Amino acid sequence: MRKMLFFTVLAPLWVFSQNTISVHINNVESNEGQIKVAIYDSDDSFLSFEQVYRGSNVKAQKGQVILRMENIPSGEYALAVFHDENGNGKLDTNWLGIPKERVAFSHGKMKTFGPPKYKECAFKVTADHEISIDL
């Protein structure tokens, strides 16, 4: 009887459990603007502004800010972070497309000729997860 209760009531809750990703963003240079975080869940969508799985922001604070993203299903994700210092809601770039605002990624680093790939930044979430990112 207990096994039947587990499989009919509790198992579906476990399968759809939601997690919190706590993102610690270090080296924020000023209190101006917002720190924006985008979560991507696939290589195809990575770094596409139109295909962000989930996004959030927090007021910039010199030094470190912590942003919590809740209700994230278990899976593989990659993060992109930028400091929208002028508060215009977008990542400012020069005429070559190189960011003028500070950008960082989960695990991966900006390369000489562009951003890292999804697989370089990806991490697994199976429970609440903390990650530290240096801007």
Side-chain angles (χ1 to χ4, degrees):
M1 181 65 166
R2 287 183 189 201
K3 287 182 183 179
M4 183 64 125
L5 176 68
F6 175 78
F7 287 110
T8 59
V9 176
L10 299 178
L13 295 175
W14 177 75
V15 170
F16 295 108
S17 67
Q18 302 295 298
N19 307 294
T20 298
I21 300 175
S22 296
V23 186
H24 298 250
I25 300 118
N26 306 307
N27 303 325
V28 178
E29 288 189 339
S30 76
N31 295 326
E32 301 297 317
Q34 300 275 315
I35 302 297
K36 296 191 174 282
V37 177
I39 298 179
Y40 295 94
D41 62 353
S42 74
D43 185 43
D44 295 334
S45 66
F46 190 56
L47 301 183
S48 167
F49 289 111
E50 296 80 30
Q51 295 181 17
V52 171
Y53 173 73
R54 181 93 50 90
S56 190
N57 61 68
V58 65
K59 182 172 177 2
Q61 180 178 327
K62 187 172 180 160
Q64 182 187 66
V65 297
I66 299 172
L67 186 136
R68 287 179 177 71
M69 304 192 75
E70 299 179 341
N71 299 319
I72 306 295
S74 295
E76 182 181 78
Y77 301 98
L79 302 178
V81 177
F82 79 95
H83 185 178
D84 181 17
E85 198 164 4
N86 62 8
N88 68 353
K90 64 179 189 170
L91 176 63
D92 296 324
T93 60
N94 67 15
W95 63 276
L96 291 172
I98 297 170
K100 292 181 182 179
E101 297 173 302
R102 298 187 70 191
V103 177
F105 305 93
S106 50
H107 305 304
K109 302 281 184 207
M110 195 67 135
K111 298 176 182 177
T112 304
F113 296 105
K117 303 288 185 205
Y118 175 81
K119 285 294 181 191
E120 295 172 299
C121 299
F123 59 94
K124 298 249 188 243
V125 173
T126 57
D128 288 351
H129 189 83
E130 285 192 18
I131 187 163
S132 184
I133 298 176
D134 294 328
L135 268 178

